[in-house]
Amino acid sequence: VAIHTISPHSPIGIFDSGVGGLTVLRTIKAMLPNEHLIYFGDTARVPYGTKSEPTVRKYAIEDAKLLLRYAPKLIVVACNTVSALALDSVQETAKGIGVLGVIKAGAKCALEKSADKRIGVIGTQATISSYAYQRELHQLSKDVQVFAKACPLFVPLAEEGFAQHEATKLIAKEYLAELLDSRIDTLILGCTHYPLLKSTIQEVVGETVVLIDSAEAVAQDVKTHLSQQELLSFDSPKPPRVLVSDMPQRFQSIAERFLGFRLHHLELVSLDDLSAYADS
Amino acid sequence: VAIHTISPHSPIGIFDSGVGGLTVLRTIKAMLPNEHLIYFGDTARVPYGTKSEPTVRKYAIEDAKLLLRYAPKLIVVACNTVSALALDSVQETAKGIGVLGVIKAGAKCALEKSADKRIGVIGTQATISSYAYQRELHQLSKDVQVFAKACPLFVPLAEEGFAQHEATKLIAKEYLAELLDSRIDTLILGCTHYPLLKSTIQEVVGETVVLIDSAEAVAQDVKTHLSQQELLSFDSPKPPRVLVSDMPQRFQSIAERFLGFRLHHLELVSLDDLSAYADS
C-alpha cells in the first residue's frame, strides 16, 4: 500500500550524498523535460563513500523520508554508495513507491554494450567493497567477467576542478592499470562524480573501451518505469527544486559544474529536521 | 564555574573531525607520556573543512559535549577548521574548562621562527576563508605579512596514502607557487593532515622555508597550560582511549598512518548519542 496517492503530476524525488547526483538530475531533466524533479543532496554529511554500511543505511533512510514528504511517484537513488549498500532500506522506507538505483541500471547498460563480456567497474571504496555491481552483473549474465577497482581520489579531484589536470591523469593511470591488464572492453563509471572525468578516463583506457555513465542508464530506467506505470507527466516544464543540508561557500559554483546550468533556487534543510523525519 | 571537578588525574580531551587529529594525540602523547588522553574523531561526518560555519559550529558543540562526559581538565581542539570557525562555541560549551586550539599555537610558533615576518598559511577551504590564522598573526605582530592558500586536495591525498606520489608533487607545485612568489620564509601547515605530506611540501618550497606543524605547537601549549595551572599528571602511562562516530572498512589502517602505532582499543559512539548530548 502506497503511503500517499500518486499520479502523473506527482514529482520524481532524487537524492544523493551531495552534489554528484546533480549529473543524474541533469540527465533526467534532458530526457524528460515535463517531469517535476525534487533533488536532495546531503551536503552536511557528504561523502558517504568512505563511511560504514550502518551509517550509510541510517543516512539513506533519513534522505528517503525527507523526499517522501513531497509525495513523489518515484524515488531515484542517484548515489552509487546508497544504491550499493542500502537500496533495500530505501525500498522499505518508500512502502510501495517505486525506487530505482543506479547500480542495476548501469549493470544492464554495460551488458548491452560489452561484446567480450569483460566489464570493469570503478567507484568509491564502499561501492566496490560491497560487491553490488559484481553481484548484479552476475545475476544478469552467467558468463560475464567483472574487474573492480576503488578510485577514492576521483571524487575530490572532480569537485576541485582538476578533471583535466596532469596529476589526475597520473592517478588515473595508476588506478586503471590492472583493469587494462584484464582487457576489459567496457567500463562502468560507478560514481556520480566520474562523468566529469570522462575525457581523462577515456584517454587513459583508450578509445576501444566503452564508458558507461550510470546517470544516463538510470535516466533511461526512469523513462521505462514511468511509461510502464502510465505515470509519465505531460505538464509544462518547470525548474527543479534543489534541497541541501548544508550550503558551504563555493557551493553554487561546484553545483553548477555538475548541473551544467545556473541554480536559481536552493533550499536548506536542517539536520535536526532530517533526524526528526527519521523518527516519524 | 567549572561543570565538574578537575585534578591532575583528570584526562585531556582531544577532538577532531576525523582521524587527522591523531597526529595531535601522537605528539601530546610523546611530549607528555603520563597524561591520560581521550580522543574523539567525528568520522561519521568528516570532513568539516568543506562545510559551512553554522554546520561546523553545531558539530563542534556536540563533539565538546561528548568529551565533557569524561570530566577532562582540558579540551584540545585538534581540528583546524573548528579552531578557526567555532573555538568560541567550544569555550562557551566547556564553561570554565580550559580550551586550546591549534590556530593560536601555530601562529605563535610561526612568529618565533620567521626572520622576515613573511609567513605562508595553508589549510582547508573553510580555515583559509575564515581568516583565523591571518587575524591571529596580525594580533600577535603588527608588521607580519601573511599569504594564505587553501589546498583542499591535500586531505584526500594524505588519507589515500599518496603523500610521496608524483601527482601530489604536481598538485603541491601548483598550490604553493603563489606563496613562493611572495617569498615566504615560514609556512604553517594549517591542517592536521598536512604533516603526512611534510617531505613533499618541503621539497616543493625548498629547504630555506621553515614548516610549522600545528600538532607540535599545540602540544607545547598544552604542556605550558597544564604546568601553569598545576595540572600536570604524574600517573603511570596508559594507552589513549579513541572514540569515533563511524568505523568504516580500512579505518584501522588509515588511523595507524596518522598515529604511527597500532590502535588496540576503538570505541564507537552513535550519532544519535551525539545529538542527545547536544540537547542536554
Side-chain angles (χ1 to χ4, degrees):
Chain A
V1 185
I3 43 183
H4 54 258
T5 315
I6 58 174
S7 81
H9 307 294
S10 307
I12 300 172
I14 305 167
F15 77 87
D16 182 45
S17 57
V19 292
L22 290 174
T23 56
V24 172
L25 168 65
R26 177 188 189 165
T27 316
I28 295 177
K29 185 83 195 141
M31 198 177 286
L32 301 165
N34 303 95
E35 295 298 332
H36 178 204
L37 307 179
I38 296 181
Y39 180 93
F40 174 61
D42 191 8
T43 46
R45 303 186 294 196
V46 72
Y48 288 2
T50 52
K51 282 152 197 165
S52 72
E53 183 184 315
T55 295
V56 171
R57 238 175 236 287
K58 174 183 156 61
Y59 292 172
I61 291 169
E62 291 178 10
D63 300 342
K65 285 197 169 164
L66 172 67
L67 285 179
L68 286 171
R69 301 257 154 163
Y70 299 89
K73 58 187 175 190
L74 178 66
I75 290 180
V76 178
V77 182
C79 178
N80 275 271
T81 303
V82 172
S83 299
L85 272 65
L87 199 71
D88 53 343
S89 294
V90 177
Q91 276 161 338
E92 258 171 55
T93 307
K95 293 194 182 105
I97 305 296
V99 173
L100 294 178
V102 281
I103 305 256
K104 190 172 216 156
K108 271 194 296 184
C109 186
L111 280 168
E112 282 162 24
K113 299 283 170 71
S114 173
D116 303 342
K117 293 207 172 172
R118 299 180 75 84
I119 297 177
V121 186
I122 54 177
T124 64
Q125 191 62 51
T127 299
I128 297 305
S129 305
S130 74
Y131 288 95
Y133 272 107
Q134 295 93 315
R135 253 196 332 264
E136 195 66 52
L137 285 161
H138 283 120
Q139 259 166 31
L140 294 167
S141 160
K142 289 227 159 60
D143 53 351
V144 67
Q145 284 196 276
V146 189
F147 308 90
K149 175 76 183 171
C151 303
L153 285 170
F154 280 175
V155 168
L157 288 166
E159 288 200 352
E160 295 304 326
F162 276 63
Q164 329 298 338
H165 197 277
E166 198 52 43
T168 306
K169 271 178 215 164
L170 280 177
I171 292 168
K173 272 182 195 159
E174 193 158 314
Y175 277 154
L176 303 172
E178 49 189 274
L179 298 182
L180 288 173
D181 287 347
S182 307
R183 290 170 292 111
I184 55 164
D185 70 347
T186 306
L187 178 61
I188 299 174
L189 307 180
C191 173
T192 48
H193 282 67
Y194 296 180
L196 269 76
L197 300 171
K198 219 170 183 173
S199 66
T200 300
I201 294 171
Q202 191 79 69
E203 196 185 319
V204 170
V205 297
E207 290 301 321
T208 55
V209 176
V210 180
L211 301 187
I212 305 296
D213 178 342
S214 51
E216 281 168 29
V218 81
Q220 191 56 58
D221 256 20
V222 168
K223 191 174 177 180
T224 308
H225 173 93
L226 292 182
S227 130
Q228 282 170 351
Q229 306 277 315
E230 295 181 1
L231 282 172
L232 278 170
S233 166
F234 298 97
D235 298 345
S236 50
K238 50 180 172 173
R241 276 182 78 172
V242 176
L243 289 74
V244 290
S245 52
D246 188 38
M247 226 179 289
Q249 280 197 318
R250 299 190 319 144
F251 176 81
Q252 196 82 9
S253 65
I254 294 180
E256 281 167 34
R257 196 173 295 148
F258 285 88
L259 199 55
F261 55 84
R262 189 153 181 82
L263 269 175
H264 291 284
H265 194 54
L266 262 176
E267 295 163 64
L268 189 64
V269 181
S270 90
L271 275 181
D272 297 328
D273 282 351
L274 270 184
S275 305
Y277 293 141
D279 298 335
S280 65
Chain B
V1 185
I3 41 183
H4 55 258
T5 315
I6 60 175
S7 82
H9 308 294
S10 307
I12 300 173
I14 306 167
F15 77 88
D16 182 45
S17 57
V19 292
L22 290 173
T23 57
V24 172
L25 168 65
R26 175 187 192 168
T27 315
I28 295 177
K29 185 86 196 139
M31 198 178 284
L32 301 165
N34 302 96
E35 296 297 332
H36 177 202
L37 307 180
I38 297 182
Y39 180 92
F40 173 61
D42 191 7
T43 46
R45 303 186 293 195
V46 72
Y48 288 2
T50 52
K51 281 153 198 163
S52 72
E53 183 184 316
T55 295
V56 171
R57 239 176 234 288
K58 175 183 156 61
Y59 292 172
I61 291 169
E62 290 177 12
D63 300 343
K65 285 197 169 163
L66 172 69
L67 285 179
L68 286 170
R69 300 257 155 159
Y70 298 89
K73 58 186 174 190
L74 177 66
I75 290 181
V76 179
V77 182
C79 179
N80 275 270
T81 303
V82 172
S83 300
L85 272 64
L87 199 70
D88 54 342
S89 294
V90 176
Q91 276 160 339
E92 259 170 56
T93 306
K95 293 193 183 105
I97 305 297
V99 174
L100 295 178
V102 281
I103 304 256
K104 190 173 214 154
K108 270 193 296 186
C109 186
L111 279 168
E112 282 162 24
K113 299 285 171 70
S114 174
D116 302 341
K117 295 212 171 168
R118 299 181 73 84
I119 297 178
V121 186
I122 54 176
T124 64
Q125 191 62 50
T127 298
I128 297 304
S129 305
S130 75
Y131 287 94
Y133 272 107
Q134 294 93 315
R135 253 196 330 263
E136 195 66 51
L137 285 161
H138 283 120
Q139 260 168 30
L140 294 167
S141 161
K142 289 227 162 59
D143 54 350
V144 67
Q145 283 195 276
V146 189
F147 307 90
K149 175 76 183 170
C151 303
L153 285 170
F154 280 176
V155 168
L157 287 165
E159 289 200 351
E160 295 303 327
F162 276 64
Q164 329 298 338
H165 197 277
E166 198 52 44
T168 305
K169 270 177 216 165
L170 280 178
I171 291 169
K173 272 183 197 159
E174 194 158 313
Y175 277 154
L176 303 172
E178 49 189 276
L179 298 182
L180 287 173
D181 288 346
S182 308
R183 289 170 291 111
I184 56 164
D185 71 346
T186 307
L187 177 62
I188 300 174
L189 306 180
C191 173
T192 47
H193 281 67
Y194 296 180
L196 270 76
L197 301 171
K198 219 170 182 172
S199 66
T200 300
I201 293 171
Q202 191 79 70
E203 196 185 319
V204 170
V205 297
E207 290 302 322
T208 55
V209 175
V210 180
L211 301 187
I212 305 295
D213 179 341
S214 51
E216 280 168 30
V218 80
Q220 192 54 59
D221 256 20
V222 168
K223 191 173 178 181
T224 309
H225 173 93
L226 291 181
S227 128
Q228 282 170 350
Q229 307 276 316
E230 296 180 2
L231 283 172
L232 277 169
S233 166
F234 299 96
D235 298 344
S236 51
K238 48 179 171 173
R241 277 182 78 171
V242 176
L243 290 74
V244 289
S245 51
D246 188 38
M247 226 179 287
Q249 280 199 315
R250 298 191 318 142
F251 177 82
Q252 196 82 7
S253 64
I254 293 180
E256 282 167 33
R257 195 172 297 148
F258 286 87
L259 199 55
F261 56 84
R262 189 154 182 83
L263 268 175
H264 291 285
H265 194 53
L266 260 178
E267 295 164 64
L268 189 63
V269 181
S270 90
L271 275 182
D272 297 329
D273 282 352
L274 270 184
S275 305
Y277 292 142
D279 298 334
S280 66

